């Protein structure tokens, strides 16, 4: 017992360092790039009020009111277009306008904060688009604000398709160049060329189908066994992003429950 | 001002400025990330016990993590810096040791001492932070590049801020 006490006294600095690092790293690993939970919601509310104020001051000179009115009108028109479409999925799509009041685009796990929250109908899991291009998805909400993670986040996979009826793969950003991602698991037999659209499949319940992720980049695809990894040029310009729409397919919960049923009933 | 009040005030002010302003500033495509809260840790008295230094660093990092959605990244980096800061202080100590009145500022210790200490401590903080943040081996090198450039930018910012604050103090 005395030896143990002596050991603790002798190495107290290193031991405290290890305990603090263990706490910090377990926090880091458990939340890796996904800011969620009660404390995040509190911080989101407190700080976003301030960030929203800064955003308002900086945009005042840029006719932001008019911009926002146009954006809302655009959102209404998109909703109407969705309602008149033949597609079953598009019938269910709704759009909410929002402004990005804070964002990080230069890290490997980026995020953005929107000035719309639960009061405006924003829900966790909704897709975010800007000028017709997919941006990311909502992962946490409060009454007034919401936080989302963009395509340029190296922990996320997105279901994507080349063209309207092309091969389906797993789209991912692996860090580094913020203008391109990589479409994995494309069969070698798939036909495509640089400039072809890479669009959402709608399978994940985040985005409706046919929302643009980007285009096949003018680079050689990489061979990966029986599959190809295809570089994709993002359609969105993340760093100049300000106004976005949130889209809700209303099918995310249905898809999740169906997948749950499948998993439970699997032999 | 009474040091017992000044130290918490310094920590609070640097944390607040980081959370409200500097966390939004990412210059040069992510190669210029400012961590202004580390100035509060660097300005802690030279005779602060290592354990206290680490606990204060952890608290400062956790506050920034909470508001910057860092998820422990800033806490971990601040604790790493807190561990090495006493070693850096000892390496840079004058032959006869530090005086009781010595402060870790440009005014008290000179620009050379301040620069070496600040750059060394920030390098540890930023190398730790960007290595963790990279998360993959192929991104480590660019992370280290960001650590070096961000360190130099922060050092420049700290030097300017301290010179301005001290110049104001001298006038009084």
């Amino acid at each position: 017992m005395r030896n143990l006490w002596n050991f603790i006294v002798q190495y107290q600095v290193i031991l405290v360092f290890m305990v603090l690092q263990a706490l910090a790293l377990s926090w880091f690993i458990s939340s890796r790039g996904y800011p969620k939970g009660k404390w995040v919601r509190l911080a989101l509310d407190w700080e976003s009020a301030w960030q929203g104020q800064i955003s308002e001051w900086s945009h005042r000179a840029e006719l932001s009111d008019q911009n926002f009115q146009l954006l809302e009108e655009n959102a209404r028109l998109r909703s109407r277009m969705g309602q008149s479409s033949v597609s079953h999925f598009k019938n269910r799509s709704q759009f909410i306008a929002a402004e990005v009041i804070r964002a990080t685009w230069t890290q490997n796990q980026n995020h953005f904060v929107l000035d719309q929250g639960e009061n405006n109908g924003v829900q966790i899991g909704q897709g975010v688009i800007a000028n017709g291009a997919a941006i990311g998805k909502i992962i946490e909400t409060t009454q007034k604000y919401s936080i989302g993670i963009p395509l340029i986040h190296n922990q996320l996979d997105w279901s994507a398709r080349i063209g309207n009826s092309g091969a389906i793969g797993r789209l991912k950003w692996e860090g580094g160049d913020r203008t391109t991602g990589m479409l994995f698991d494309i069969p070698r037999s798939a036909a495509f060329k640089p400039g072809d659209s890479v669009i959402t499949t709608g399978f994940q319940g985040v985005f409706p189908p046919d929302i643009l992720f980007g285009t096949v980049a003018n680079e050689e695809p990489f061979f990966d066994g029986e599959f190809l990894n295809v570089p994709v040029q993002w359609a969105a310009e993340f760093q100049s992003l300000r106004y976005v729409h949130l889209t809700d397919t209303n099918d995310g919960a249905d898809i999740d429950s169906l997948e749950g049923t499948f998993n439970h009933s699997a032999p | 001002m009474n040091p017992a009040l000044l130290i918490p005030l310094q920590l609070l002010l640097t944390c607040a400025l980081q959370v409200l302003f500097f966390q939004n500033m990412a210059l040069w495509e992510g190669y210029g990330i400012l961590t202004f809260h580390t100035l509060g840790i660097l300005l802690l008295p030279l005779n602060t016990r290592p354990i206290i230094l680490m606990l204060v660093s952890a608290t400062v990092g956790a506050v920034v993590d909470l508001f910057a959605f860092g998820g422990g990244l800033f806490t971990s980096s601040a604790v790493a810096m807190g561990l090495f800061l006493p070693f850096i202080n000892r390496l840079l100590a004058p032959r006869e040791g530090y005086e009781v009145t010595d402060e870790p500022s440009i005014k008290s210790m000179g620009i050379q001492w301040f620069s070496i200490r600040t750059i060394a401590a920030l390098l540890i903080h930023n190398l730790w932070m960007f290595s963790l943040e990279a998360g993959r081996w192929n991104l480590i090198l660019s992370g280290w590049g960001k650590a070096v450039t961000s360190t130099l930018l922060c050092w420049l910012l700290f030097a300017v801020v301290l010179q301005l604050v001290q110049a104001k103090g001298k006038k009084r």
Side-chain angles (χ1 to χ4, degrees), chain B residues 41-122:
Chain B
I41 300 168
L42 288 169
L43 290 177
L44 287 172
L46 289 166
N47 59 359
T48 308
R49 287 182 57 197
I51 290 178
I52 303 293
L53 194 61
M54 274 194 290
L55 289 172
V56 172
S57 302
T59 310
V60 167
V63 169
V64 174
D65 263 328
L66 194 63
F67 288 99
F69 308 125
L73 189 67
F74 291 104
T75 312
S76 178
S77 316
V79 170
M81 189 177 94
L83 174 73
F84 285 99
L85 204 50
F87 293 107
I88 299 169
N89 289 344
R90 218 174 299 158
L91 281 175
L92 296 176
R95 195 172 298 167
E96 62 278 13
Y98 292 108
E99 301 283 337
V100 183
T101 51
D102 282 345
E103 291 171 6
S105 63
I106 300 174
K107 189 177 161 188
S108 174
M109 302 302 294
I111 186 74
Q112 192 182 353
W113 182 93
F114 170 82
S115 299
I116 295 171
R117 178 176 181 263
T118 303
I119 289 173
L122 283 175

Side-chain angles (χ1 to χ4, degrees), chain A residues 31-44:
Chain A
S31 69
R32 187 145 168 71
Y34 292 82
K36 285 177 77 74
K38 184 184 166 190
W39 288 106
V40 168
R41 283 197 295 275
L42 269 177
L44 189 61

Side-chain angles (χ1 to χ4, degrees), chain A residues 132-153:
Chain A
I135 300 297
K137 72 171 182 178
I138 299 298
I139 57 161
E140 191 59 274
T141 59
T142 66
Q143 297 291 314
K144 292 181 181 172
Y145 303 98
S146 52
I147 184 166
I149 40 182
L151 303 181
I152 49 171
H153 185 293

